């Protein structure tokens, strides 16, 4: 079947089998490697992308379900040569070690800040519940989110 997706602002048509998952379309068909594959069960969050603005585990979401949807990957966050506020804050706060979970984590945080512009620590941790990081212990990640809030607000004012 042929599906139509708006991926990072560009309309894309892709031929997929009914069993094809969104992560395979993004990685293998479109070459967007920011969507990582780790658990293949939608548990770790490394494959998180935004589908119509909502975080989705792309490794366990059938591609045909996203037909007609807008997909945002981490590759789209950098605009006009500048990193997104959350990406910059992750760098400034050393909020990653190996970096494997980082793209999915950042996309979840972007969705969080769009829904809750000034989240408290409990809300931040709750939204990150679907993103597993085995390296950092989450302290630096929560700090990065807190530090990204003012810049994110300016970007979206």
């Amino acid at each position: 079947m042929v599906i139509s997706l708006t991926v990072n602002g560009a309309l894309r048509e892709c031929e997929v089998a009914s069993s094809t998952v969104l992560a395979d379309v993004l990685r293998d068909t479109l070459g967007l490697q920011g969507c990582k594959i780790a658990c293949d069960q939608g548990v770790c969050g490394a494959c998180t992308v935004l589908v119509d603005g909502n975080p989705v585990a792309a490794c366990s979401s059938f591609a045909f379900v996203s037909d007609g949807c807008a997909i945002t990957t981490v590759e789209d966050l950098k605009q006009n040569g500048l990193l997104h506020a959350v990406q910059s804050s992750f760098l400034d706060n050393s909020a990653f070690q190996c970096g494997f979970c980082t793209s999915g984590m950042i996309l979840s945080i972007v969705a969080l800040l769009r829904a809750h512009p000034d989240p408290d620590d409990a809300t931040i941790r709750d939204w990150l519940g679907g993103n597993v990081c085995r390296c950092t212990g989450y302290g630096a990640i929560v700090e990065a989110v807190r530090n990204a809030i003012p810049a994110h607000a300016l970007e979206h004012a």
Side-chain angles (χ1 to χ4, degrees), residues 10-99:
L11 183 60
R12 305 295 299 261
E13 288 192 348
C14 304
E15 177 92 24
V16 300
S18 60
S19 60
T20 303
V21 294
L22 183 57
D24 291 341
V25 170
L26 295 172
R27 291 179 57 80
D28 301 337
T29 304
L30 302 178
L32 298 168
Q33 302 296 306
C35 174
K36 305 297 183 199
I37 302 297
C39 71
D40 255 345
Q41 297 176 8
V43 176
C44 73
C47 66
T48 300
V49 297
L50 302 181
V51 177
D52 290 338
N54 299 306
V56 169
C59 76
S60 62
S61 177
F62 290 116
F64 73 84
V65 173
S66 297
D67 185 29
C69 294
I71 312 297
T72 303
T73 69
V74 72
E75 288 90 348
D76 193 48
L77 293 182
K78 187 176 179 180
Q79 297 292 316
N80 300 319
L82 299 174
L83 293 176
H84 187 279
V86 176
Q87 291 171 306
S88 292
S89 190
F90 259 62
L91 286 171
D92 294 345
N93 290 277
S94 300
F96 58 90
Q97 287 182 28
C98 81

Side-chain angles (χ1 to χ4, degrees), residues 121-139:
D121 287 2
T123 303
I124 294 168
R125 289 182 181 277
D126 184 54
W127 271 70
L128 292 176
N131 297 88
V132 176
C133 179
R134 292 186 172 101
C135 301
T136 66
Y138 295 92

Side-chain angles (χ1 to χ4, degrees), residues 100-118:
F100 196 80
C101 69
T102 305
S103 58
M105 188 91 55
I106 286 173
L107 285 164
S108 291
I109 293 165
V110 167
L112 162 67
L113 294 179
R114 288 177 181 163
H116 304 280
D118 191 17

